[in-house]
Amino acid sequence: MNYTLEDFKNIIKRLRSENGCPWDKVQTHKTLKEAMIEEAYEVVEAINKNNIENLKEELGDVLLQVVFHSQIEQEKGNFELSDVINGISQKMIYRHPHIFGEQKADTADKVLQNWEELKKKEKNYKTQTEVMKNIPDALPALTKAKKVQKKARDVGFDFTDVKQALQKVHEELYELEETLEQSQQKQEEELGDLLFAVVNVSRFLQLNPEFALTKAIKKFINRFECVEQIALMDKRSLSDMTLEELELFWVQAKHSESPTEE
């Protein structure tokens, strides 16, 4: 049997009904918010692994979140899924006047420029600061930093090239070093400035800082696993080894990688 969107809505409605599932009945927007984030990241993971079958499954899980949240509000009499669909449809038409209207946009950059201008008008933002302040705090900090920097760039407030951005990283690193004998609050402030500067470099290189850090974490774990395996072959425990010995094994692990992993 092939189920439709309407069938799926009814499934969630039944799960939430008086005689429905004890778990589903007690869920709220707040109890589900972490699941929404997790499901979105699982979609990204499927894309990164080019696992199309898994992508289909994870998109279904994201759809579940959308329908579930809509059902909660339908029960309150506020809105339902059809209102969500109607709202996003209106937004897509409004923000694509080069398709559904008379405006011209021959390049992707022009499309994005028009999109931001229309969004600003739609939200009634009077200043670029308002645009920045309305970037959600729930975003991962690296992602939010990149978006804030893009908003500043939109009005011309930006470095001219990646070399300037890299110079700023060096400056912030030096300022962090200067706080080593100061308060933790000051150290936190300078560390934040350094991270923000690094995100700026990633933007100029057209790299996603979240993805870059995720790959670095994975590389670290793989190298650590290799270090541990070397130690086990030598019948040694990592906790009993000196830092110098561990660093020697780390170098061996690094040299065992393929060039792309380094």
Side-chain angles (χ1 to χ4, degrees):
M1 178 177 179
N2 289 324
Y3 294 97
T4 65
L5 181 59
E6 194 63 32
D7 292 328
F8 188 52
K9 284 173 54 182
N10 289 330
I11 290 171
I12 303 304
K13 184 177 181 179
R14 181 173 177 181
L15 290 173
R16 291 273 302 172
S17 67
E18 183 178 352
N19 296 319
C21 171
W23 185 88
D24 291 281
K25 289 193 297 183
V26 299
Q27 298 310 303
T28 66
H29 295 309
K30 288 185 177 180
T31 63
L32 292 171
K33 64 182 182 182
E34 287 187 12
M36 174 67 87
I37 295 172
E38 290 170 4
E39 299 302 353
Y41 273 101
E42 287 175 9
V43 167
V44 173
E45 181 76 1
I47 293 172
N48 288 342
K49 293 182 176 180
N50 196 29
N51 189 328
I52 303 305
E53 191 62 29
N54 186 230
L55 176 60
K56 178 178 68 175
E57 177 184 350
E58 298 303 340
L59 288 173
D61 290 341
V62 171
L63 178 61
L64 165 62
Q65 293 297 313
V66 174
V67 175
F68 209 123
H69 284 280
S70 300
Q71 176 60 32
I72 291 173
E73 288 307 310
Q74 182 175 348
E75 293 163 9
K76 298 176 182 178
N78 293 329
F79 65 80
E80 54 185 272
L81 184 61
S82 61
D83 297 311
V84 174
I85 294 172
N86 182 59
I88 190 61
S89 297
Q90 289 181 353
K91 179 187 291 186
M92 294 305 290
I93 292 171
Y94 174 73
R95 294 193 186 175
H96 289 82
H98 55 291
I99 301 298
F100 302 102
E102 302 300 323
Q103 198 174 85
K104 298 293 183 182
D106 299 326
T107 66
D109 286 342
K110 183 61 177 176
V111 170
L112 291 176
Q113 181 183 340
N114 291 344
W115 179 281
E116 291 301 324
E117 290 174 357
L118 289 167
K119 181 178 180 180
K120 195 172 180 178
K121 181 179 178 181
E122 177 186 318
K123 301 291 185 180
N124 197 30
Y125 295 147
K126 303 299 183 183
T127 67
Q128 197 68 1
T129 302
E130 284 183 278
V131 175
M132 292 180 181
K133 286 184 175 180
N134 279 277
I135 297 173
D137 288 333
L139 284 173
L142 293 178
T143 299
K144 181 168 183 177
K146 186 177 180 182
K147 290 180 75 70
V148 167
Q149 291 166 2
K150 283 184 175 180
K151 301 307 180 187
R153 179 200 62 190
D154 289 344
V155 292
F157 191 80
D158 201 3
F159 294 115
T160 57
D161 55 35
V162 69
K163 290 184 179 180
Q164 283 192 342
L166 277 169
Q167 181 59 40
K168 188 62 175 177
V169 171
H170 292 303
E171 291 175 12
E172 297 297 350
L173 178 58
Y174 174 77
E175 290 180 11
L176 176 60
E177 291 173 342
E178 290 289 292
T179 67
L180 295 182
E181 302 300 325
Q182 299 179 32
S183 68
Q184 192 175 52
Q185 181 179 357
K186 184 61 178 176
Q187 292 168 359
E188 181 184 50
E189 178 185 343
E190 295 301 338
L191 177 62
D193 290 345
L194 175 59
L195 292 171
F196 193 81
V198 170
V199 171
N200 241 333
V201 172
S202 76
R203 185 171 54 83
F204 272 94
L205 296 176
Q206 298 183 350
L207 296 171
N208 186 303
E210 292 285 346
F211 295 165
L213 181 56
T214 297
K215 288 180 180 179
I217 293 169
K218 184 177 181 180
K219 180 170 66 175
F220 178 88
I221 294 172
N222 289 340
R223 286 182 182 175
F224 189 88
E225 180 183 31
C226 188
V227 168
E228 198 162 33
Q229 289 174 346
I230 295 172
L232 288 173
M233 289 173 60
D234 203 30
K235 297 182 179 179
R236 305 280 301 279
S237 170
L238 294 183
S239 58
D240 294 332
M241 297 173 65
T242 66
L243 181 58
E244 289 75 15
E245 289 175 314
L246 290 171
E247 288 179 343
L248 179 61
F249 284 179
W250 183 269
V251 172
Q252 292 180 40
K254 184 177 180 179
H255 287 166
S256 69
E257 295 173 348
S258 64
T260 56
E261 291 178 313
E262 296 183 4

